[in-house]
Amino acid sequence: MIDTHAHLNYPDIQKNLPDILKRAEDNGISKIIIPATDIKSSREIIELIEKHDMLYGAVGIHPTELKDFNENDLNEIEELCISNKIAAIGEIGLDYYWKPYDKALEQHVLKSQLQIAKRNNLPVILHNRESSEDLMQLIIDEYENGKLKGQFHSFSGDLQIAKKCIEMGFYISFTGNLTYKPNEKTLTAIEIVKNIPLEHFLLETDTPYLPPVPYRGKQNEPSYVIHTAQKIAELKNTTIEEVGRVTSLNAERLYKI
Ligand SMILES: [Zn+2]
């Protein structure tokens, strides 16, 4: 299996990284992608992925990390994205939840990074929090008939939005929240998993956040992705092996890893 989204660069994970990677391998996780959130983490991730075969990275500026944004940061992302084992621009997107937010600035930084991705033929890892409408509009504007590709991570739209995403060739993923007790959000996620073919899904943990049942309240880690995969297998009436096989092919195809 491939965990397409784990923030393994965070300091409290760094100190246990050898054990975390060992447990991942022992549970059949062969590759992990580490998304960046700002310039500093982009640089750190490039160093980190050089040290471990199974790790790949993304560089980018997250919409909640714009406090000290400087136009030159975009040039730096474009320089960093050609590094070895950098598989994507991410995570990037819109976030209208954490206050204060500046919608115009978030949209400018997202649009610029979508263009960097297209110029460098890289996919994007998209973050969306309470911003589905604006995010979809920007993606549709920049899509240009397949030139833009990527992953809607921790997908939070409804089935109709999910269908639009896959129609454009994008992939969708859910975190451990898919395993939580049914509430409005998980029920929508379950409906999407049931109605969209496996060929459009990726696996992710969003480590250290959103651990699946039975690890709620603990720090998430890539080895736990098997619980989300198991849940997808149940919902789709298939085996966890099949979920692993198809989603890994999807990740390899999208990220060229
Ligand atoms: Zn993330």
Side-chain angles (χ1 to χ4, degrees):
M1 290 182 206
I2 298 180
D3 182 356
T4 59
H5 201 106
H7 295 281
L8 299 182
N9 57 306
Y10 288 3
D12 42 342
I13 295 190
Q14 276 293 306
K15 54 179 197 261
N16 300 316
L17 191 63
D19 291 341
I20 288 171
L21 295 183
K22 169 85 169 59
R23 282 195 293 274
E25 277 186 313
D26 290 348
N27 282 281
I29 288 84
S30 58
K31 294 169 190 168
I32 303 168
I33 298 176
I34 312 174
T37 48
D38 56 16
I39 297 287
K40 186 170 162 278
S41 57
S42 297
R43 290 197 203 109
E44 285 167 0
I45 286 163
I46 288 170
E47 263 181 57
L48 182 58
I49 60 182
E50 282 301 321
K51 293 185 199 140
H52 303 273
D53 274 356
M54 72 189 302
L55 300 182
Y56 295 82
V59 295
I61 306 167
H62 192 280
T64 60
E65 303 298 323
L66 298 177
K67 198 161 58 77
D68 304 314
F69 175 75
N70 169 324
E71 206 56 38
N72 195 46
D73 293 347
L74 294 167
N75 298 331
E76 187 156 358
I77 292 296
E78 185 140 22
E79 281 163 27
L80 293 174
C81 83
I82 56 170
S83 307
N84 198 20
K85 295 178 82 187
I86 288 300
I89 301 293
E91 61 178 286
I92 61 176
L94 300 176
D95 192 309
Y96 298 167
Y97 175 79
W98 292 108
K99 294 190 174 89
Y101 51 78
D102 177 341
K103 287 190 180 182
L105 179 62
E106 284 192 22
Q107 291 178 21
H108 163 68
V109 175
L110 170 60
K111 197 179 167 79
S112 306
Q113 293 185 100
L114 295 177
Q115 289 165 352
I116 291 172
K118 286 197 288 187
R119 277 199 295 276
N120 292 277
N121 199 21
L122 284 169
V124 293
I125 301 168
L126 295 168
H127 169 99
N128 167 24
R129 191 140 187 210
E130 312 212 339
S131 56
S132 291
E133 204 178 313
D134 287 354
L135 180 67
M136 288 307 288
Q137 195 52 58
L138 267 158
I139 298 298
I140 290 164
D141 289 349
E142 292 293 327
Y143 164 66
E144 286 177 25
N145 203 20
K147 262 197 108 186
L148 184 64
K149 48 194 176 342
Q151 170 184 12
F152 284 82
H153 123 80
S154 193
F155 189 77
S156 63
D158 59 17
L159 180 59
Q160 200 195 335
I161 297 176
K163 283 183 175 161
K164 181 70 196 164
C165 293
I166 66 162
E167 194 187 297
M168 291 190 291
F170 280 77
Y171 293 84
I172 285 171
S173 57
F174 292 104
T175 63
N177 64 2
L178 195 62
T179 65
Y180 297 173
K181 258 204 221 111
N183 59 35
E184 202 189 322
K185 254 185 120 175
T186 47
L187 287 174
T188 305
I190 286 167
E191 188 194 12
I192 292 169
V193 173
K194 284 184 171 168
N195 284 282
I196 300 235
L198 211 43
E199 283 63 31
H200 305 285
F201 283 99
L202 299 170
L203 293 177
E204 69 157 310
T205 55
D206 203 11
T207 294
Y209 313 111
L210 301 164
V213 173
Y215 299 107
R216 284 198 81 174
K218 296 215 171 107
Q219 184 182 67
N220 201 358
E221 63 170 61
S223 66
Y224 298 168
V225 83
I226 57 173
H227 297 276
T228 307
Q230 179 59 45
K231 181 73 184 179
I232 294 174
E234 281 165 31
L235 291 170
K236 297 196 93 54
N237 260 319
T238 183
T239 60
I240 184 168
E241 288 77 17
E242 181 66 1
V243 171
R245 188 185 71 81
V246 176
T247 55
S248 294
L249 283 175
N250 296 344
E252 287 168 350
R253 186 180 311 120
L254 175 64
Y255 291 116
K256 302 193 173 78
I257 57 175

